[in-house]
Structure formats: C-alpha cells, structure tokens
Amino acid sequence: SSGPKSLREMPHPLATSSSEEMGPALTPSPDLLLPRSIADKDLSLPNGTPVDTSSPASSSSLLNRLQLDDDLDVETRDLFVTVDDPKKHVCTMETYITYRVTTKTTRAEFDLPEYSVRRRYQDFDWLRNKLEESQPTHLIPPLPEKFVVKGVVDRFSEEFVETRRKALDKFLKRITDHPVLSFNEHFNVFLTAKDLNAYKKQGMALLSKMGESVKYVTGGYKLRSRPLEFAAIGDYLDTFSLKLGTIDRIAQRIIKEQLEYLVELREYGPVYSTWGGLEVELSEPLEGVSACIGNCCTALEELSEDMTEDFLPVLREYILYAESMKNVLKKRDQVQAEYEAKLEAIALKREDRPKVPTDVEKCQDRVECFNADLKADMERWQNNKRQDFRQLLMGMADKNIQYYEKVCVT
Amino acid sequence: MEDCLAKKMEITVSEAEKRTGRNAMNIQETYTAYLIETRAVESQSEGQCGPVESLWRRYSEFELLRNYLSVTYPHIVVPPLPEKRADFVWHKLSADNMDPDFVERRRIGLENFLLRVASHPVLCQDKIFYAFLTQEGGWKEMVNETGFQLKADSRLKALNATFRVKNPDKRFTELKHYSDELQSVISHLLRVRARVADRLYGVYKVHGNYGRVFSEWSAIEKEMGDGLQSAGHHMDVYAASIDDILEEEEHYADQLKEYLFYAEALRAVCRKHELMQYDLEMAAQDLTSKKQQCEELATGTVRTFSLKGMTSKLFGQETPEQREAKIKVLEEQIQEGEEQLKSKNLEGRDFVKSAWADIERFKEQKNHDLKEALISYAVMQISMCKKGIQVWTNAKECFSKM
C-alpha cells in the first residue's frame, strides 16, 4: 500500500461537473483508507468530540488483520469470548436470567488474561446501543429480539433460554471478530467489569456533561446521488430481507404441517396395536408396526424441534441484521447529504478557493470514513453470511437426513 | 388346491372401457366394462398354452356372480368384490367412479376376485363361474334359471335368528365377534391412514416453495448463487416425489380393504349357522310340544294350562273317537317331525364341519396375505426414507458448495 494520502491530493468533488463522479472519488479502496482514517488525528465530529474509534496498538497491526483470510486462523486470534451457563435469579422486584461471559485474551488492552462475569440481556442491549453510538459507521451485529409476548412464549423455558444464549454468544463472537469493534472501550468494560451498572451510570453522567450525544443526527438533508455501490447494497438488502422473510414463513409452515402429520401418526400407531390384540399369529408383526410408527413420531418430533430451535432463529437474526444495516446505510446517506449541502453552500458563497473550510473537510472525511468502513464491513458481512448460511442450510439438510436415517433404522 | 381352476387357466382382467348403454329401466347411462381374458394352460412343463379368449363384463355382473356364489355356498367364505364407490379417500384422490385411477384400481381388484374364486377348491368347480369367464351371451339368464334368489334367506329371518338362537356353536359366536372387531379396526385404520397421507402430502408439497425462493434468492447472490439454485432444484424433486409414494401406498390400502370386506363374508357364514341352528331349535321345540300334546290326549291329564283344556271343561270333553283321530294325526306329525329333526341335525353338523374347514383355510390365507402386505408396507416406507436421504444429501452437497 502506498501509505496515507493527504486530503489535498484528493480531487475536489465539485471540480467535476457531473455529480455522479462524486461517488468514486469519495470512496477509495478500503485497505488504503482504513489505516489512514485511524492514523489521521484530524478526524473528529463537528462538535469537537473525538470519534470513538479505539486506538489499536498500531495501524500496521490493523492492516495485518485486514490482509488475512476472512476465515481467521485460530493461532492469530488473540481474543476468545463465550456465553454459557444461564442461571435464573429471583428477586423481590423481578425474576431474570444471567449468562456467564468468559473471556480469554493476550491483548494488551486487557489487564488480565482471563475474565469471567455475569451479564443479563439488559447489559447486552446496553452494549449494543453503546456500540451503535460510538461506531456509527460500522455494522453492529443484531441481538435476539428484546420483547417476547408473555403467555405465548415462556421466558424461562429451557428451549427459549438456550436459543437466546446461542444468539448472545453469536453476537459477542461477531464483535470479537471485528477488527474495529473488538477494540471498543465499552466492549472491553462489558467483558471485564465486575460491576457494570456503576460504569453505566458513570457513562450517563459523562454524556449529560457533554450536552450532546455522539450521534450523526443530521436533519432534512437531501441526497443528490447515492453512489452506485451503496444503492446496490441497499437494493440487495431489500431483496435479501424479503427472501429471508419468505423462507422463514415456508419453514414455519413446514413445521406446522409436520406437527399436524405427527398428530395423525400418533393416532395411527395405536390402531395397529389394537388390531394386534385381536389376532393371534399376526399380533407380533402388527405390534411391530405400531412400535415403528411410535419411533417415527419421536424422530419427527426431534426434527421439528431442531428446526425451530436452530434454523428459525438464525433466519430471524439475519433479517434483523439486514434491518440494522439498512439503517446504517441511511445514516451514511445522511452524512453524504450533509457534506454535499455544505459544499454547495460554499460554492454559492464563492469565497476564497481552493482552501476548503475545515468543517467541510471534516464532513468529507466523515463521508469517506463512513463509506470505507461500510464497504469493509459489507465484505466481511457477505463472507460471514455465506459461511453462516452454508452452515445453516447444511445443518438443515443434515437434520432431515438424520430424521430419515432414524426412520429407516426403525 | 391341486385341482383348482387357477392352475389350469390363466385369468386376467386386462382392460377397462367406458361404455354407454341402456339399463334395465331403459335409461341411458355410462358405465365401465372390463375385459376378461382367459387362456388354458397345460399343467405339463412344456407350458403349452391355448388361444386367448376374452369377453366383456361390467361391475353389476360381477355382483350377480358373487350373490349367486354366496347363496349357493353358504358355508364358504366367499371372496369379496372391490368397493363399489371410492371410500376412505384422502383429499387428492378422487371419489369419482369414472376417475381413471379408481377404475384402474378396481380393475386390479376384480382380477384379484376372480383369481381368489378360481383358486378356491370348492368354488372353482362351479359351472356358473366357469360360464362367467367363458360365455358372454346368455350368462345372466343361466344364473337366473338356477333360481338361487329363492334360496336366499330373508334378512328379517336372519335377524330374528340372531336374537333368538339359544345354543349356537361357541366357535361361531367368537368368530362373529372377531369379524365385528376386525371390521371396526380396519375401518379405523384406513380412515387414519387417509388423514396421515393427506398431511404427509402437505409437508412434501410445501418444500416445493423452497425451490422457488432459493431460485429467486440465488439471483441476487454472487458466490452463493449456484449452490442455492441447484439446491432449489432438489427441493422441487423432493416435493414431486410424494405423488408416486402415495400411489404405491394406495395399493397397500386396497389390500387392507379386501380383508375389511372379507369380514362381512365371515359374518355371513356365522349368520347362516345361526339361522340353521335356530331352525333346528324351533323344530325341536315344535316336536316336543307335539309329543306333549299327544301324551296329554292319551292319558287324559292336563299337565299344563291350555285353551283346549279350558274349553273342554266348559263345553264338555270330546268323544273317544275324536280323541283317537287327533292322536293319530299327532303321531304322524311326530314321525315326520323326528325325521325332519334328524336330517336338520345332520345338515347342521355337516354345515358346521365344512364351514369350519373353510374358515381354517381362510384364516391361513388371511395370515399369509396380511403378513406379506405389512412387509411390503414396511419396504415401501424404507424406500421412501431412502429417497428422502438421497434428496437431502444432494441438497447438502449443493449447500456445501456455496
């Protein structure tokens, strides 16, 4: 890589007459930009607060990380996080579940090599919000759904708790694998602090002192033209969510049909038994058939359970993921729109050129940064998604194969 | 078994054809005619075969044949005909008599009926049956000329006997009970099986939707596209496979249905026995009362209350001559009655013996057939599973290439 490019070397966006060319000029290749955006100390928000990209040990190590294969080798990973051991807590005010979060690491950012803390869903939710606030240009993985309709789902049933645990584990692992998010300060605290609530309160106090939350809240700027690739990503995500939604519905329908089939099978088996009671010579084979059908019922039940517990949640997770990604895209659009508006304002004023005022420069930075982060994240996401779905669908196929094998044996 | 017709003659119901014609009431109707083909087979190993002869029969003629056989051989468990109307259908199967699948299954059922009759040691020798297979014209008249309808017992008489018989053979009572239970359990089985088939059909067909969605999804993907697309194709194959699977299962259902209807035939034999037994009991009772009457007249004692006794007290006794005449008549009747009783007894015993022999034969046949049916059902299920494994393995491979 040719090292960081200075701002002034970048072609002025408004120098070219057509607005389309804004797009490519604003988004140079990610592996060039990312270390630059970290190393460039000028990076800050309009109100002066530094952007909360946690500083890595060095930008070169970050580069190393990027140039690795997407399937990170276990040897080069230096942070491992697991979510397990759900426990129910009964207090006077409420009942809730906590999960054990175990961390093993060799990173310098952590004081100890191992940590074990207990966290509840609220804490994960807090973490996610913090990440969204502090890393608005990145795609934050989704959490399992927050609210469950009481009465329909038992919040404390084994299946529900286990499904949630898996999703929370996935959530943390995705953050762990992210070269930027995993170095986030809040993430560190989440993994290590004995008393998270104290930290949370502290954070709130700090925020109120700042006066303004660290958010890219830009109102009412209209985007001139969305760069093609982001438009394409937007379209892709729309279709993707749609298709996943359809698959979710189909899978649910199949499970429903399977359960109805199961109901009939449950009546079918015993009839053979009754008949067997009537016969002398035939009673053994008839009983045999009855027993077989009973075994088929069990196998089918297992299949439906597996699909409900393993397959459906992952689909839903990706739909949530796509939703949050679309939000990030919208934010990106807003940032770009703001930048364009500012640029236009300058052009109209026709003030001294070529020196571009600092705040516009900063806007441009933001846009570029955003785009780059987003692109990098998208690529990573696509790969992970491919892996995840490969695993998911293969798992589905496997389960069905297992079902048939069980039935065959019986 | 050695002399049965099935060994000497090949019988098939090879075709079915839609026909229109006028029925007994001169109304135009559509019906299906079935082609019966027969060919004499030499029992020698040379396997020399005679020419194929054929004739057409419709279902109502089969019914006539069966009725004739039931009445003429009441001690035989007569093989049943396939159902007249489609019953125990699951939703996709048509209940229409003209539906080609129904007609086809009926053709097989009719062939099976003929083969069963032809392999029965007693029934196969019947001339009317032989004529049914070989003589197209004038067969109906031939059947009617036997006057078998007159021999048929009225339903009312049979019902009466069932309730009033005092000492039927215990084995027949048990057998009747068994056939009732068998009928009930097989009906239940067939009903549930139809529902099971319905549901299974639903499960498979919904998987077809995967095929469509995967295809649409693959269009927006780059690396995952091919894998998804080909997996989708396998889902379509899976969804389509259920049609053949369920068609095969219908064959199993038909085998069960045959024995469902056989239960009715068993009950018919039991009813006949009850009737004969009741007849016997009535005749015996009649004889006893006549003997009693005779004795009373002879000795002049009135042992039991009778209207005669009363009237004679009121209006005076009869003359000795009148009494003599009455005694004579009674003695004749008693003689007749005793002979009748003897022959009825003999008839009854013969009936029980030959019926029971046929029932034993039937039991063996039933056990053998149903065992085979269950085995083939299990084989069908295994094959269905193997197909399932194949499809999902293929799909898995496609997914692995994503």
Side-chain angles (χ1 to χ4, degrees):
Chain A
S1 51
S2 56
K5 261 187 178 170
S6 81
L7 247 181
R8 291 170 215 322
E9 284 173 339
M10 302 279 299
H12 195 293
L14 282 181
T16 54
S17 50
S18 64
S19 46
E20 277 97 59
E21 283 173 68
M22 255 203 236
L26 287 175
T27 59
S29 54
D31 48 75
L32 279 178
L33 213 54
L34 208 58
R36 178 183 155 268
S37 65
I38 302 292
D40 193 341
K41 303 287 186 294
D42 273 355
L43 205 65
S44 59
L45 297 167
N47 64 5
T49 356
V51 171
D52 206 5
T53 53
S54 324
S55 49
S58 71
S59 52
S60 59
S61 78
L62 204 61
L63 201 64
N64 284 338
R65 235 180 279 278
L66 279 177
Q67 285 171 345
L68 278 173
D69 274 351
D70 289 306
D71 305 289
L72 291 166
D73 291 334
V74 182
E75 297 103 53
T76 54
R77 285 177 66 190
D78 55 3
L79 178 64
F80 298 88
V81 178
T82 326
V83 177
D84 61 5
D85 189 33
K87 273 202 169 63
K88 194 164 163 181
H89 297 255
V90 183
C91 311
T92 42
M93 293 298 282
E94 54 173 350
T95 310
Y96 59 91
I97 308 260
T98 62
Y99 304 84
R100 178 175 65 186
V101 179
T102 321
T103 310
K104 290 196 170 77
T105 181
T106 55
R107 286 191 187 176
E109 291 77 18
F110 292 85
D111 294 332
L112 300 172
E114 266 191 57
Y115 290 92
S116 181
V117 294
R118 295 218 73 106
R119 298 283 181 250
R120 54 186 291 191
Y121 184 92
Q122 265 181 16
D123 302 328
F124 285 84
D125 196 34
W126 168 86
L127 174 64
R128 189 170 194 282
N129 287 335
K130 279 301 194 223
L131 286 174
E132 265 191 335
E133 278 173 20
S134 53
Q135 314 275 187
T137 63
H138 287 282
L139 302 173
I140 317 292
L143 273 178
E145 273 141 10
K146 189 170 195 168
F147 299 109
V148 280
V149 183
K150 283 200 190 148
V152 175
V153 180
D154 178 11
R155 281 186 307 141
F156 302 111
S157 77
E158 251 184 70
E159 295 88 29
F160 178 77
V161 170
E162 178 56 19
T163 306
R164 217 181 218 198
R165 183 203 66 77
K166 280 193 215 153
L168 294 174
D169 185 75
K170 199 82 173 284
F171 171 70
L172 289 185
K173 286 196 160 71
R174 280 182 172 141
I175 298 175
T176 312
D177 287 343
H178 196 287
V180 175
L181 293 179
S182 61
F183 287 95
N184 183 287
E185 183 193 319
H186 300 295
F187 183 52
N188 189 311
V189 174
F190 177 88
L191 291 177
T192 58
K194 281 292 163 203
D195 184 359
L196 192 61
N197 286 325
Y199 178 80
K200 283 189 204 175
K201 291 202 183 91
Q202 189 188 57
M204 294 292 286
L206 222 80
L207 219 57
S208 52
K209 270 195 202 156
M210 303 292 258
E212 193 177 307
S213 66
V214 181
K215 275 201 173 111
Y216 283 100
V217 178
T218 49
Y221 290 107
K222 213 173 156 267
L223 186 65
R224 282 266 197 88
S225 72
R226 195 176 287 117
L228 275 161
E229 62 194 316
F230 291 110
I233 292 176
D235 288 337
Y236 169 79
L237 285 176
D238 282 334
T239 316
F240 180 71
S241 312
L242 224 69
K243 294 307 154 195
L244 280 193
T246 311
I247 293 180
D248 181 49
R249 274 193 301 279
I250 295 174
Q252 278 188 58
R253 173 92 185 275
I254 288 180
I255 290 173
K256 176 165 161 281
E257 295 279 341
Q258 277 173 342
L259 288 176
E260 288 179 352
Y261 172 57
L262 191 62
V263 167
E264 301 297 350
L265 269 190
R266 286 226 170 90
E267 203 188 313
Y268 189 48
V271 182
Y272 279 97
S273 216
T274 311
W275 188 1
L278 203 59
E279 298 285 338
V280 176
E281 255 194 64
L282 289 176
S283 84
E284 213 184 290
L286 286 169
E287 278 295 334
V289 174
S290 179
C292 281
I293 295 177
N295 291 341
C296 291
C297 288
T298 316
L300 186 61
E301 221 176 350
E302 281 169 15
L303 174 67
S304 297
E305 254 173 48
D306 284 341
M307 289 295 282
T308 311
E309 283 167 27
D310 295 332
F311 187 72
L312 289 180
V314 178
L315 281 181
R316 300 216 177 108
E317 192 184 278
Y318 262 93
I319 295 176
L320 288 173
Y321 216 156
E323 284 305 309
S324 80
M325 283 161 74
K326 281 197 275 194
N327 282 334
V328 176
L329 279 176
K330 280 198 197 117
K331 280 193 225 152
R332 191 218 70 87
D333 284 349
Q334 283 296 303
V335 171
Q336 183 179 333
E338 187 185 335
Y339 171 61
E340 286 169 358
K342 292 225 163 99
L343 231 41
E344 250 185 64
I346 295 172
L348 288 171
K349 278 198 220 158
R350 294 205 177 279
E351 274 175 21
D352 30 306
R353 308 264 243 107
K355 179 153 166 81
V356 181
T358 356
D359 68 331
V360 181
E361 255 185 42
K362 297 229 166 80
C363 257
Q364 185 183 26
D365 259 356
R366 275 167 59 187
V367 175
E368 285 164 2
C369 178
F370 211 144
N371 292 346
D373 288 346
L374 209 51
K375 276 195 69 178
D377 275 4
M378 268 312 286
E379 276 191 34
R380 192 175 308 110
W381 180 84
Q382 283 281 19
N383 256 315
N384 288 340
K385 170 207 76 178
R386 185 172 62 83
Q387 300 251 5
D388 282 346
F389 274 101
R390 184 158 162 266
Q391 219 176 30
L392 183 73
L393 293 169
M394 276 178 70
M396 171 171 96
D398 250 336
K399 296 256 161 59
N400 274 282
I401 291 174
Q402 276 169 28
Y403 161 70
Y404 277 120
E405 282 179 348
K406 280 182 209 164
V407 175
C408 235
V409 164
T410 197
Chain B
M1 285 300 152
E2 312 79 36
D3 263 15
C4 69
L5 196 59
K7 294 271 162 89
K8 297 191 215 151
M9 185 190 250
E10 253 175 44
I11 306 172
T12 53
V13 177
S14 51
E15 275 170 49
E17 215 178 71
K18 231 193 239 187
R19 299 258 181 96
T20 43
R22 293 198 175 271
N23 67 4
M25 293 184 282
N26 215 25
I27 297 169
Q28 188 90 324
E29 60 168 4
T30 321
Y31 63 90
T32 314
Y34 298 87
L35 183 67
I36 303 178
E37 286 182 336
T38 52
R39 181 156 65 173
V41 177
E42 296 298 297
S43 45
Q44 267 78 13
S45 45
E46 291 114 63
Q48 277 221 307
C49 293
V52 174
E53 291 181 23
S54 62
L55 45 76
W56 292 88
R57 294 268 184 231
R58 55 186 291 190
Y59 188 85
S60 54
E61 293 176 277
F62 279 85
E63 277 184 315
L64 186 60
L65 173 66
R66 190 175 185 276
N67 285 342
Y68 162 78
L69 290 173
S70 308
V71 172
T72 319
Y73 303 91
H75 57 289
I76 301 285
V77 184
V78 179
L81 285 172
E83 54 194 352
K84 188 154 194 171
R85 263 162 277 282
D87 213 349
F88 303 112
V89 287
W90 57 282
H91 93 282
K92 214 204 154 227
L93 228 47
S94 168
D96 174 21
N97 280 7
M98 289 297 167
D99 177 76
D101 284 332
F102 177 75
V103 169
E104 174 58 19
R105 294 206 338 271
R106 201 197 239 189
R107 182 192 66 73
I108 295 172
L110 291 174
E111 184 177 286
N112 190 47
F113 167 73
L114 292 179
L115 289 172
R116 289 243 193 246
V117 176
S119 27
H120 191 285
V122 174
L123 297 177
C124 70
Q125 298 179 35
D126 187 276
K127 303 237 169 1
I128 298 287
F129 174 61
Y130 188 77
F132 181 87
L133 294 173
T134 52
Q135 187 185 318
E136 182 143 27
W139 176 80
K140 263 203 198 143
E141 290 73 17
M142 194 197 257
V143 181
N144 290 329
E145 266 165 34
T146 61
F148 78 94
Q149 278 106 338
L150 301 168
K151 284 194 244 164
D153 301 311
S154 79
R155 287 223 87 148
L156 196 59
K157 203 166 152 207
L159 203 62
N160 204 21
T162 307
F163 286 121
R164 296 201 180 169
V165 71
K166 293 202 185 92
N167 281 320
D169 186 314
K170 273 212 169 51
R171 294 177 297 173
F172 282 94
T173 318
E174 273 169 25
L175 187 67
K176 194 163 80 130
H177 184 68
Y178 167 78
S179 63
D180 284 339
E181 302 269 299
L182 187 70
Q183 196 170 43
S184 153
V185 88
I186 296 186
S187 310
H188 189 198
L189 193 71
L190 287 170
R191 266 199 308 273
V192 181
R193 192 212 70 91
R195 291 207 299 265
V196 168
D198 225 350
R199 291 294 171 206
L200 192 62
Y201 183 77
V203 172
Y204 270 75
K205 283 300 175 191
V206 177
H207 278 86
N209 292 338
Y210 272 148
R212 198 172 32 88
V213 166
F214 282 174
S215 183
E216 291 167 6
W217 184 7
S218 73
I220 60 169
E221 293 290 341
K222 295 191 201 81
E223 290 153 349
M224 295 193 342
D226 287 336
L228 276 177
Q229 177 89 327
S230 31
H233 163 72
H234 289 297
M235 289 294 104
D236 286 332
V237 168
Y238 182 74
S241 68
I242 189 65
D243 292 313
D244 285 340
I245 290 170
L246 286 178
E247 215 183 278
E248 255 195 89
E249 256 196 39
E250 278 311 309
H251 178 62
Y252 169 69
D254 283 341
Q255 286 175 299
L256 292 183
K257 269 185 224 171
E258 193 192 7
Y259 277 92
L260 177 67
F261 302 142
Y262 252 127
E264 182 58 49
L266 269 182
R267 248 221 303 278
V269 175
C270 294
R271 265 203 303 269
K272 182 69 183 182
H273 163 75
E274 280 169 354
L275 205 68
M276 290 180 75
Q277 181 65 13
Y278 180 66
D279 227 14
L280 191 70
E281 285 169 8
M282 285 290 99
Q285 201 179 341
D286 194 49
L287 189 65
T288 317
S289 90
K290 286 209 163 75
K291 281 189 180 162
Q292 207 176 24
Q293 271 187 315
C294 205
E295 199 194 307
E296 283 170 19
L297 283 177
T299 58
T301 54
V302 180
R303 244 181 287 161
T304 55
F305 177 81
S306 73
L307 197 57
K308 198 96 189 350
M310 278 312 295
T311 53
S312 60
K313 277 218 162 79
L314 291 169
F315 299 109
Q317 296 221 338
E318 319 154 291
T319 64
E321 294 81 22
Q322 283 175 318
R323 219 176 335 137
E324 278 304 318
K326 279 205 186 102
I327 291 175
K328 215 176 203 134
V329 166
L330 276 175
E331 278 176 351
E332 272 175 32
Q333 286 180 340
I334 289 169
Q335 183 94 335
E336 248 180 70
E338 280 189 338
E339 275 171 27
Q340 262 194 20
L341 193 63
K342 219 187 269 177
S343 75
K344 278 202 166 109
N345 244 316
L346 214 66
E347 247 181 62
R349 275 204 293 270
D350 275 344
F351 177 86
V352 167
K353 200 168 102 188
S354 48
W356 207 255
D358 196 55
I359 286 164
E360 290 297 334
R361 182 204 61 82
F362 167 75
K363 273 191 197 160
E364 262 190 54
Q365 175 198 299
K366 173 202 77 173
N367 286 336
H368 173 265
D369 288 349
L370 288 176
K371 233 182 239 173
E372 262 188 35
L374 289 173
I375 290 175
S376 79
Y377 183 57
V379 169
M380 257 186 258
Q381 297 298 307
I382 292 179
S383 127
M384 172 174 98
C385 290
K386 292 224 167 99
K387 278 189 210 154
I389 291 178
Q390 185 66 50
V391 165
W392 282 103
T393 311
N394 290 342
K396 184 174 168 187
E397 230 187 271
C398 295
F399 290 138
S400 72
K401 297 204 188 113
M402 265 169 46

